[in-house]
Coordinates of all heavy atoms in Angstrom, one line a residue:
M1 N 50.2 24.1 -65.2 CA 49.0 23.1 -65.2 C 47.8 23.9 -65.6 O 47.5 25.0 -65.1 CB 48.8 22.6 -63.9 CG 47.6 21.8 -63.6 SD 47.5 21.0 -62.0 CE 48.2 19.5 -62.5
P2 N 47.0 23.5 -66.7 CA 45.9 24.2 -67.1 C 44.8 24.3 -66.0 O 44.5 23.3 -65.4 CB 45.4 23.4 -68.3 CG 46.5 22.6 -68.7 CD 47.3 22.3 -67.5
K3 N 44.2 25.4 -65.9 CA 43.1 25.6 -65.0 C 41.7 25.4 -65.7 O 40.8 24.8 -65.2 CB 43.2 27.0 -64.3 CG 42.0 27.3 -63.4 CD 42.1 28.8 -62.9 CE 40.8 29.2 -62.3 NZ 40.6 30.6 -62.3
S4 N 41.6 26.1 -66.9 CA 40.4 26.1 -67.7 C 40.8 25.5 -69.0 O 41.8 25.8 -69.6 CB 39.9 27.5 -67.8 OG 38.8 27.5 -68.7
H5 N 39.9 24.7 -69.5 CA 40.1 24.1 -70.8 C 38.9 24.4 -71.7 O 37.8 24.1 -71.3 CB 40.3 22.6 -70.8 CG 40.6 21.9 -72.1 ND1 41.8 22.1 -72.7 CD2 39.8 21.2 -72.9 CE1 41.7 21.4 -73.9 NE2 40.5 20.9 -74.0
H6 N 39.2 24.9 -72.9 CA 38.1 25.3 -73.8 C 38.7 24.9 -75.2 O 39.9 25.0 -75.4 CB 37.9 26.8 -73.7 CG 36.8 27.4 -74.6 ND1 37.0 27.7 -75.9 CD2 35.5 27.7 -74.3 CE1 35.8 28.1 -76.4 NE2 35.0 28.1 -75.4
P7 N 37.9 24.6 -76.2 CA 38.4 24.3 -77.5 C 39.3 25.4 -78.1 O 40.2 25.1 -78.9 CB 37.2 24.0 -78.4 CG 36.1 23.8 -77.5 CD 36.4 24.5 -76.2
Y8 N 39.1 26.7 -77.7 CA 39.8 27.8 -78.3 C 40.9 28.3 -77.4 O 41.8 29.0 -77.9 CB 38.9 29.0 -78.6 CG 37.8 28.7 -79.6 CD1 36.6 29.4 -79.7 CD2 38.1 27.7 -80.6 CE1 35.7 29.1 -80.6 CE2 37.1 27.5 -81.6 CZ 36.0 28.2 -81.6 OH 35.0 28.0 -82.6
Y9 N 40.9 28.0 -76.1 CA 42.0 28.5 -75.3 C 42.2 27.7 -74.0 O 41.3 26.9 -73.6 CB 41.7 30.0 -74.9 CG 40.5 30.2 -74.0 CD1 40.6 30.1 -72.6 CD2 39.3 30.5 -74.6 CE1 39.5 30.3 -71.8 CE2 38.2 30.7 -73.8 CZ 38.3 30.6 -72.5 OH 37.2 30.8 -71.6
L10 N 43.3 27.9 -73.4 CA 43.6 27.3 -72.1 C 44.0 28.4 -71.1 O 44.6 29.4 -71.6 CB 44.8 26.3 -72.2 CG 44.7 25.2 -73.2 CD1 46.0 24.5 -73.4 CD2 43.7 24.1 -72.6
T11 N 43.7 28.3 -69.8 CA 44.2 29.2 -68.9 C 45.0 28.5 -67.8 O 44.7 27.3 -67.5 CB 43.1 30.0 -68.2 OG1 42.2 29.1 -67.6 CG2 42.3 30.9 -69.2
D12 N 46.0 29.1 -67.2 CA 46.7 28.5 -66.2 C 46.2 28.9 -64.8 O 45.3 29.8 -64.7 CB 48.3 28.8 -66.4 CG 48.6 30.2 -66.2 OD1 47.9 31.0 -65.6 OD2 49.7 30.6 -66.6
S13 N 46.9 28.5 -63.8 CA 46.4 28.8 -62.4 C 46.6 30.2 -62.1 O 46.0 30.7 -61.1 CB 47.1 27.9 -61.4 OG 48.5 28.1 -61.5
N14 N 47.4 30.9 -62.8 CA 47.6 32.4 -62.6 C 46.6 33.2 -63.4 O 46.7 34.5 -63.4 CB 49.0 32.8 -63.0 CG 50.0 32.2 -62.0 OD1 49.8 32.1 -60.8 ND2 51.1 31.7 -62.5
G15 N 45.7 32.6 -64.2 CA 44.7 33.3 -65.0 C 45.2 33.7 -66.4 O 44.6 34.4 -67.1
R16 N 46.5 33.3 -66.7 CA 47.0 33.7 -68.1 C 46.3 32.8 -69.1 O 46.2 31.6 -68.9 CB 48.5 33.4 -68.1 CG 49.3 34.3 -67.1 CD 49.8 35.5 -67.4 NE 50.5 35.5 -68.7 CZ 50.6 36.7 -69.4 NH1 50.1 37.8 -69.1 NH2 51.2 36.6 -70.6
L17 N 46.0 33.4 -70.2 CA 45.3 32.7 -71.3 C 46.2 32.4 -72.4 O 47.0 33.2 -72.8 CB 44.1 33.6 -71.7 CG 43.2 33.0 -72.9 CD1 41.8 33.3 -72.6 CD2 43.6 33.5 -74.2
R18 N 46.1 31.2 -73.1 CA 46.8 30.9 -74.2 C 45.9 30.2 -75.2 O 45.1 29.4 -74.9 CB 47.9 29.8 -73.9 CG 48.7 29.3 -75.1 CD 49.8 28.4 -74.6 NE 49.3 27.2 -74.0 CZ 49.0 26.1 -74.6 NH1 49.0 26.0 -75.9 NH2 48.6 25.0 -73.9
F19 N 45.8 30.7 -76.4 CA 44.9 30.2 -77.5 C 45.5 28.9 -78.0 O 46.7 28.8 -78.2 CB 44.7 31.2 -78.6 CG 43.8 32.3 -78.2 CD1 44.4 33.6 -77.8 CD2 42.5 32.2 -78.3 CE1 43.6 34.6 -77.5 CE2 41.6 33.2 -77.9 CZ 42.2 34.4 -77.5
T20 N 44.6 28.0 -78.3 CA 44.9 26.8 -79.0 C 45.1 27.1 -80.5 O 44.7 28.2 -80.9 CB 43.8 25.7 -78.8 OG1 42.6 26.2 -79.5 CG2 43.6 25.3 -77.4
Q21 N 45.7 26.2 -81.2 CA 45.8 26.4 -82.7 C 44.4 26.6 -83.3 O 44.2 27.5 -84.2 CB 46.5 25.2 -83.4 CG 46.8 25.5 -84.8 CD 47.8 26.7 -85.0 OE1 48.7 26.9 -84.2 NE2 47.6 27.5 -86.0
K22 N 43.4 25.8 -82.9 CA 42.1 26.0 -83.4 C 41.5 27.4 -83.0 O 40.8 28.0 -83.9 CB 41.2 24.9 -82.8 CG 39.7 25.0 -83.3 CD 38.9 23.8 -82.7 CE 37.5 23.9 -83.3 NZ 36.7 22.8 -82.8
G23 N 41.8 27.8 -81.8 CA 41.3 29.2 -81.4 C 41.9 30.2 -82.2 O 41.2 31.2 -82.6
L24 N 43.2 30.1 -82.5 CA 43.9 31.2 -83.3 C 43.3 31.2 -84.7 O 43.0 32.3 -85.3 CB 45.4 30.9 -83.4 CG 46.2 31.2 -82.1 CD1 47.6 30.6 -82.2 CD2 46.2 32.6 -81.8
E25 N 43.2 30.0 -85.3 CA 42.6 29.9 -86.7 C 41.2 30.4 -86.8 O 40.8 31.1 -87.7 CB 42.7 28.5 -87.2 CG 44.1 28.0 -87.4 CD 44.2 26.5 -87.7 OE1 43.1 25.8 -87.7 OE2 45.3 26.0 -87.8
T26 N 40.4 30.1 -85.8 CA 39.0 30.5 -85.8 C 38.7 31.9 -85.4 O 38.0 32.7 -86.1 CB 38.2 29.6 -84.8 OG1 38.4 28.2 -85.2 CG2 36.7 29.9 -84.9
L27 N 39.4 32.4 -84.4 CA 39.1 33.7 -83.8 C 39.9 34.9 -84.3 O 39.5 36.0 -84.2 CB 39.2 33.6 -82.2 CG 38.2 32.7 -81.6 CD1 38.4 32.5 -80.1 CD2 36.7 33.1 -81.9
R28 N 41.1 34.6 -84.8 CA 41.9 35.7 -85.3 C 41.2 36.6 -86.3 O 41.1 37.8 -86.2 CB 43.3 35.2 -85.9 CG 44.2 36.3 -86.3 CD 45.4 35.9 -86.9 NE 46.3 35.5 -85.8 CZ 47.0 34.4 -85.7 NH1 47.0 33.5 -86.7 NH2 47.8 34.2 -84.6
P29 N 40.6 36.0 -87.4 CA 39.8 36.8 -88.3 C 38.6 37.5 -87.7 O 38.3 38.7 -88.1 CB 39.4 35.8 -89.4 CG 40.0 34.5 -89.1 CD 40.6 34.6 -87.7
Y30 N 38.0 36.9 -86.8 CA 36.8 37.5 -86.1 C 37.2 38.7 -85.3 O 36.6 39.8 -85.5 CB 36.1 36.4 -85.2 CG 34.9 36.9 -84.5 CD1 33.9 37.6 -85.1 CD2 34.7 36.5 -83.2 CE1 32.8 38.0 -84.4 CE2 33.6 36.9 -82.4 CZ 32.6 37.7 -83.1 OH 31.5 38.0 -82.4
F31 N 38.2 38.5 -84.5 CA 38.6 39.7 -83.7 C 39.2 40.8 -84.6 O 39.0 42.0 -84.3 CB 39.6 39.2 -82.6 CG 39.1 38.4 -81.5 CD1 39.9 37.4 -80.9 CD2 37.7 38.4 -81.2 CE1 39.3 36.6 -79.9 CE2 37.2 37.6 -80.2 CZ 38.0 36.8 -79.5
A32 N 39.9 40.4 -85.6 CA 40.5 41.4 -86.6 C 39.4 42.3 -87.1 O 39.7 43.5 -87.4 CB 41.3 40.7 -87.6
L33 N 38.2 41.8 -87.4 CA 37.1 42.6 -87.9 C 36.8 43.8 -87.0 O 36.4 44.8 -87.5 CB 35.8 41.8 -88.1 CG 35.9 40.7 -89.2 CD1 34.6 39.9 -89.2 CD2 35.9 41.5 -90.6
A34 N 37.0 43.6 -85.7 CA 36.8 44.7 -84.7 C 38.1 45.4 -84.4 O 38.1 46.3 -83.5 CB 36.2 44.1 -83.4
G35 N 39.2 45.1 -85.1 CA 40.5 45.8 -84.9 C 41.2 45.3 -83.6 O 42.0 46.0 -83.1
I36 N 40.9 44.1 -83.2 CA 41.5 43.5 -82.1 C 42.6 42.5 -82.4 O 42.4 41.6 -83.3 CB 40.5 42.7 -81.2 CG1 39.4 43.7 -80.7 CG2 41.2 42.0 -80.0 CD1 38.2 43.0 -80.1
D37 N 43.9 42.7 -81.9 CA 45.0 41.8 -82.1 C 44.9 40.7 -81.1 O 45.0 40.9 -79.9 CB 46.2 42.6 -81.9 CG 47.5 41.8 -82.2 OD1 47.4 40.5 -82.4 OD2 48.6 42.4 -82.3
I38 N 44.7 39.5 -81.6 CA 44.5 38.4 -80.7 C 45.7 38.1 -79.8 O 45.5 37.6 -78.7 CB 44.1 37.0 -81.5 CG1 43.5 36.0 -80.6 CG2 45.3 36.6 -82.3 CD1 42.8 34.9 -81.4
R39 N 46.9 38.5 -80.3 CA 48.1 38.4 -79.4 C 48.0 39.2 -78.1 O 48.8 38.9 -77.2 CB 49.3 38.7 -80.3 CG 49.5 37.7 -81.4 CD 50.6 38.2 -82.4 NE 50.2 39.5 -82.9 CZ 51.0 40.3 -83.6 NH1 52.2 39.9 -83.9 NH2 50.6 41.4 -84.1
K40 N 47.2 40.2 -78.1 CA 47.1 41.1 -77.0 C 46.1 40.6 -75.9 O 46.0 41.1 -74.8 CB 46.8 42.5 -77.4 CG 47.9 43.0 -78.2 CD 47.7 44.5 -78.5 CE 48.9 44.9 -79.3 NZ 49.0 46.3 -79.4
I41 N 45.4 39.5 -76.2 CA 44.5 38.9 -75.2 C 45.2 38.0 -74.3 O 45.7 36.9 -74.7 CB 43.3 38.2 -76.0 CG1 42.6 39.2 -76.9 CG2 42.4 37.5 -75.0 CD1 41.6 38.5 -77.8
K42 N 45.3 38.4 -73.1 CA 46.1 37.6 -72.1 C 45.3 37.0 -71.0 O 45.9 36.1 -70.2 CB 47.1 38.6 -71.5 CG 48.0 39.3 -72.5 CD 48.9 38.3 -73.1 CE 49.9 39.0 -74.1 NZ 50.6 38.1 -74.9
T43 N 44.1 37.3 -70.7 CA 43.3 36.7 -69.7 C 41.9 36.4 -70.2 O 41.5 36.8 -71.3 CB 43.1 37.7 -68.5 OG1 42.4 38.8 -69.0 CG2 44.5 38.2 -68.0
E44 N 41.2 35.6 -69.4 CA 39.8 35.3 -69.8 C 38.9 36.6 -69.9 O 38.1 36.7 -70.7 CB 39.1 34.3 -68.8 CG 39.2 32.9 -69.3 CD 38.4 31.9 -68.4 OE1 38.5 32.0 -67.2 OE2 37.8 31.0 -69.0
A45 N 39.2 37.5 -69.0 CA 38.4 38.8 -69.0 C 38.7 39.5 -70.3 O 37.8 40.1 -70.9 CB 38.9 39.6 -67.8
D46 N 40.0 39.5 -70.7 CA 40.3 40.1 -72.1 C 39.6 39.4 -73.2 O 39.1 40.0 -74.1 CB 41.8 40.0 -72.3 CG 42.7 40.8 -71.4 OD1 42.2 41.7 -70.7 OD2 43.9 40.4 -71.4
Y47 N 39.5 38.1 -73.1 CA 38.8 37.3 -74.1 C 37.4 37.6 -74.2 O 36.8 37.9 -75.3 CB 39.1 35.8 -73.8 CG 38.2 34.9 -74.6 CD1 38.5 34.6 -76.0 CD2 37.1 34.2 -74.1 CE1 37.7 33.8 -76.8 CE2 36.3 33.4 -74.8 CZ 36.6 33.2 -76.2 OH 35.8 32.4 -77.0
F48 N 36.7 37.7 -73.0 CA 35.3 38.0 -73.0 C 35.0 39.4 -73.5 O 34.0 39.7 -74.2 CB 34.7 37.7 -71.6 CG 34.6 36.3 -71.2 CD1 35.2 35.8 -70.1 CD2 34.1 35.4 -72.1 CE1 35.2 34.5 -69.7 CE2 34.0 34.0 -71.8 CZ 34.6 33.6 -70.6
Q49 N 35.9 40.3 -73.2 CA 35.8 41.7 -73.7 C 35.9 41.7 -75.2 O 35.2 42.4 -75.9 CB 36.8 42.6 -73.0 CG 36.7 44.0 -73.5 CD 37.7 45.0 -72.8 OE1 38.5 44.5 -72.0 NE2 37.5 46.2 -73.0
A50 N 36.9 41.0 -75.7 CA 37.1 40.9 -77.2 C 35.9 40.3 -77.9 O 35.5 40.8 -78.9 CB 38.3 40.1 -77.5
R51 N 35.3 39.3 -77.3 CA 34.1 38.7 -77.8 C 33.0 39.7 -77.9 O 32.2 39.9 -78.9 CB 33.6 37.5 -77.0 CG 34.5 36.3 -77.0 CD 34.6 35.6 -78.4 NE 33.3 35.1 -78.8 CZ 33.2 33.9 -79.4 NH1 34.2 33.1 -79.5 NH2 32.0 33.5 -79.8
Q52 N 32.8 40.5 -76.8 CA 31.8 41.5 -76.7 C 32.0 42.6 -77.8 O 31.1 43.0 -78.5 CB 31.8 42.1 -75.3 CG 30.7 43.2 -75.2 CD 29.3 42.6 -75.2 OE1 29.0 41.5 -74.8 NE2 28.3 43.4 -75.7
Q53 N 33.3 43.1 -77.9 CA 33.5 44.1 -78.9 C 33.4 43.6 -80.3 O 33.1 44.4 -81.2 CB 35.0 44.6 -78.7 CG 35.2 45.4 -77.5 CD 36.6 45.8 -77.3 OE1 37.4 45.1 -76.7 NE2 37.0 46.9 -77.8
S54 N 33.6 42.3 -80.6 CA 33.5 41.8 -81.9 C 32.1 41.4 -82.3 O 31.8 41.2 -83.4 CB 34.4 40.5 -82.0 OG 35.7 40.8 -81.7
S55 N 31.2 41.3 -81.3 CA 29.8 40.8 -81.6 C 29.1 41.6 -82.7 O 28.4 40.9 -83.5 CB 29.0 40.8 -80.3 OG 28.8 42.1 -79.8
P56 N 29.3 42.9 -83.0 CA 28.7 43.5 -84.1 C 29.1 43.0 -85.4 O 28.4 43.2 -86.5 CB 29.0 45.0 -83.9 CG 29.4 45.2 -82.5 CD 30.0 43.9 -82.1
Y57 N 30.2 42.3 -85.5 CA 30.8 41.8 -86.7 C 30.5 40.3 -86.9 O 31.0 39.7 -87.8 CB 32.3 42.0 -86.8 CG 32.6 43.5 -86.6 CD1 32.9 44.0 -85.3 CD2 32.5 44.3 -87.7 CE1 33.2 45.3 -85.2 CE2 32.8 45.7 -87.5 CZ 33.2 46.1 -86.3 OH 33.4 47.5 -86.1
F58 N 29.7 39.7 -86.0 CA 29.5 38.2 -86.0 C 29.0 37.8 -87.4 O 29.4 36.8 -87.9 CB 28.6 37.8 -84.9 CG 28.4 36.3 -84.9 CD1 29.4 35.5 -84.4 CD2 27.2 35.8 -85.3 CE1 29.2 34.1 -84.4 CE2 27.0 34.4 -85.3 CZ 28.0 33.5 -84.8
T59 N 27.9 38.5 -87.9 CA 27.3 38.0 -89.1 C 28.3 38.1 -90.3 O 28.4 37.2 -91.1 CB 26.1 38.9 -89.4 OG1 25.2 38.7 -88.3 CG2 25.3 38.4 -90.7
D60 N 29.1 39.2 -90.3 CA 30.1 39.3 -91.4 C 31.1 38.1 -91.3 O 31.5 37.5 -92.3 CB 30.8 40.6 -91.3 CG 29.9 41.8 -91.6 OD1 28.9 41.7 -92.3 OD2 30.2 42.9 -91.0
W61 N 31.6 37.8 -90.1 CA 32.5 36.7 -89.9 C 31.9 35.4 -90.3 O 32.6 34.6 -91.0 CB 32.9 36.7 -88.4 CG 33.8 35.7 -88.0 CD1 35.1 35.4 -88.3 CD2 33.4 34.6 -87.1 NE1 35.5 34.3 -87.7 CE2 34.5 33.8 -87.0 CE3 32.3 34.3 -86.4 CZ2 34.5 32.6 -86.1 CZ3 32.3 33.2 -85.6 CH2 33.4 32.4 -85.5
L62 N 30.6 35.2 -89.9 CA 30.0 34.0 -90.3 C 29.8 33.8 -91.8 O 30.0 32.7 -92.4 CB 28.6 33.9 -89.6 CG 27.9 32.5 -89.6 CD1 28.8 31.5 -88.9 CD2 26.6 32.6 -88.8
K63 N 29.6 34.9 -92.5 CA 29.5 34.9 -94.0 C 30.8 34.5 -94.6 O 30.9 33.8 -95.6 CB 29.0 36.3 -94.5 CG 27.6 36.5 -94.3 CD 27.1 37.9 -94.8 CE 25.7 38.1 -94.5 NZ 25.2 39.5 -94.9
Q64 N 31.9 35.1 -94.0 CA 33.2 34.7 -94.5 C 33.5 33.2 -94.3 O 34.1 32.6 -95.2 CB 34.3 35.5 -93.7 CG 34.3 37.0 -94.1 CD 35.3 37.8 -93.3 OE1 36.1 37.2 -92.4 NE2 35.3 39.1 -93.4
R65 N 33.1 32.7 -93.1 CA 33.4 31.3 -92.9 C 32.4 30.4 -93.8 O 32.9 29.4 -94.2 CB 33.0 31.0 -91.4 CG 34.0 31.6 -90.5 CD 33.9 31.1 -89.1 NE 34.2 29.7 -89.1 CZ 34.2 28.9 -88.0 NH1 33.8 29.4 -86.9 NH2 34.6 27.6 -88.1
A66 N 31.3 30.9 -94.1 CA 30.3 30.1 -94.9 C 30.9 29.9 -96.3 O 30.6 28.9 -97.0 CB 29.0 30.8 -95.0
A67 N 31.7 30.8 -96.8 CA 32.3 30.7 -98.1 C 33.1 29.4 -98.2 O 33.4 28.9 -99.3 CB 33.2 31.9 -98.4
N68 N 33.6 28.9 -97.1 CA 34.5 27.7 -97.0 C 33.8 26.4 -96.7 O 34.4 25.3 -96.6 CB 35.7 27.9 -96.1 CG 36.6 29.0 -96.6 OD1 36.9 29.1 -97.8 ND2 37.0 29.8 -95.7
W69 N 32.5 26.5 -96.4 CA 31.7 25.3 -96.1 C 31.6 24.4 -97.3 O 31.6 24.9 -98.5 CB 30.3 25.7 -95.7 CG 30.3 26.4 -94.3 CD1 31.3 26.5 -93.4 CD2 29.2 27.1 -93.7 NE1 30.9 27.2 -92.2 CE2 29.6 27.6 -92.5 CE3 27.9 27.3 -94.2 CZ2 28.8 28.3 -91.6 CZ3 27.1 28.0 -93.3 CH2 27.5 28.5 -92.1
P70 N 31.5 23.1 -97.1 CA 31.3 22.2 -98.2 C 30.0 22.5 -99.0 O 29.1 23.1 -98.6 CB 31.1 20.8 -97.5 CG 31.6 21.0 -96.1 CD 31.4 22.4 -95.8
D71 N 30.0 22.0 -100.3 CA 28.9 22.2 -101.2 C 27.9 21.1 -101.0 O 27.9 20.1 -101.8 CB 29.4 22.3 -102.6 CG 28.3 22.7 -103.6 OD1 27.3 23.2 -103.2 OD2 28.5 22.4 -104.8
T72 N 27.2 21.1 -99.9 CA 26.1 20.1 -99.7 C 24.8 20.8 -99.5 O 24.7 22.0 -99.3 CB 26.4 19.3 -98.4 OG1 26.3 20.2 -97.3 CG2 27.8 18.7 -98.4
D73 N 23.7 20.0 -99.7 CA 22.4 20.6 -99.5 C 22.2 21.3 -98.2 O 21.7 22.5 -98.1 CB 21.3 19.6 -99.6 CG 21.2 19.0 -101.1 OD1 21.7 19.7 -102.0 OD2 20.6 17.9 -101.3
Q74 N 22.7 20.7 -97.1 CA 22.5 21.3 -95.8 C 23.3 22.6 -95.6 O 22.8 23.6 -95.2 CB 23.0 20.3 -94.7 CG 22.1 19.1 -94.5 CD 22.5 18.0 -95.5 OE1 23.4 18.2 -96.3 NE2 21.8 16.9 -95.4
F75 N 24.6 22.6 -96.1 CA 25.4 23.8 -96.0 C 24.9 24.9 -96.9 O 24.9 26.1 -96.6 CB 26.8 23.5 -96.2 CG 27.5 23.0 -95.0 CD1 27.9 21.7 -94.9 CD2 27.8 23.8 -93.9 CE1 28.6 21.2 -93.8 CE2 28.4 23.3 -92.8 CZ 28.8 22.0 -92.7
N76 N 24.4 24.5 -98.1 CA 23.9 25.5 -99.0 C 22.6 26.2 -98.5 O 22.4 27.3 -98.7 CB 23.5 24.8 -100.4 CG 24.8 24.5 -101.2 OD1 25.8 25.2 -101.0 ND2 24.7 23.6 -102.0
L77 N 21.8 25.4 -97.7 CA 20.6 26.0 -97.1 C 21.0 27.0 -96.1 O 20.5 28.1 -96.0 CB 19.7 25.0 -96.4 CG 18.8 24.1 -97.4 CD1 18.2 23.0 -96.6 CD2 17.7 25.0 -98.0
M78 N 22.0 26.7 -95.2 CA 22.5 27.6 -94.2 C 23.2 28.8 -94.9 O 23.0 30.0 -94.5 CB 23.5 26.9 -93.3 CG 22.8 25.9 -92.4 SD 23.8 25.3 -91.0 CE 25.3 24.8 -91.8
R79 N 24.0 28.6 -95.9 CA 24.6 29.7 -96.6 C 23.6 30.6 -97.2 O 23.7 31.9 -97.1 CB 25.6 29.1 -97.7 CG 26.6 30.0 -98.2 CD 27.6 29.4 -99.2 NE 27.5 28.0 -99.5 CZ 28.2 27.0 -99.0 NH1 29.1 27.3 -98.1 NH2 28.0 25.8 -99.3
N80 N 22.6 30.1 -97.8 CA 21.5 30.9 -98.4 C 20.8 31.7 -97.3 O 20.5 32.9 -97.6 CB 20.5 30.1 -99.2 CG 21.1 29.5 -100.5 OD1 22.1 30.1 -101.0 ND2 20.6 28.5 -101.0
A81 N 20.6 31.2 -96.3 CA 19.9 31.9 -95.1 C 20.8 33.1 -94.7 O 20.2 34.1 -94.3 CB 19.6 31.0 -94.0
L82 N 22.1 32.9 -94.6 CA 23.0 33.9 -94.2 C 23.1 35.1 -95.2 O 23.2 36.2 -94.9 CB 24.4 33.4 -93.9 CG 24.5 32.6 -92.7 CD1 25.9 31.9 -92.6 CD2 24.3 33.5 -91.4
L83 N 23.2 34.6 -96.5 CA 23.5 35.6 -97.5 C 22.3 36.3 -98.2 O 22.5 37.3 -98.8 CB 24.3 34.9 -98.6 CG 25.6 34.3 -98.1 CD1 26.3 33.5 -99.3 CD2 26.6 35.3 -97.6
D84 N 21.1 35.9 -97.8 CA 20.0 36.5 -98.4 C 19.4 37.6 -97.4 O 19.6 37.7 -96.3 CB 18.9 35.5 -98.7 CG 19.2 34.7 -99.9 OD1 20.0 35.1 -100.7 OD2 18.6 33.6 -100.0

């Protein structure tokens, strides 16, 4: 039975963490920038530590994601703000 529900992961009553498909797709590349294997994250504490270790790479990760955003005025403004 899930204890904690987040769009990226679920935890059970024993504190074990399991990533959702969305979490894997979104966070695997982010954590990889910091050399973190997402499969080794087993608890919420591990997850928060991985987020902290990955934080210096946040802008790089966001730039990678921006490359896949739709070609609209709003997204182009955000993309230009990130890439300039």
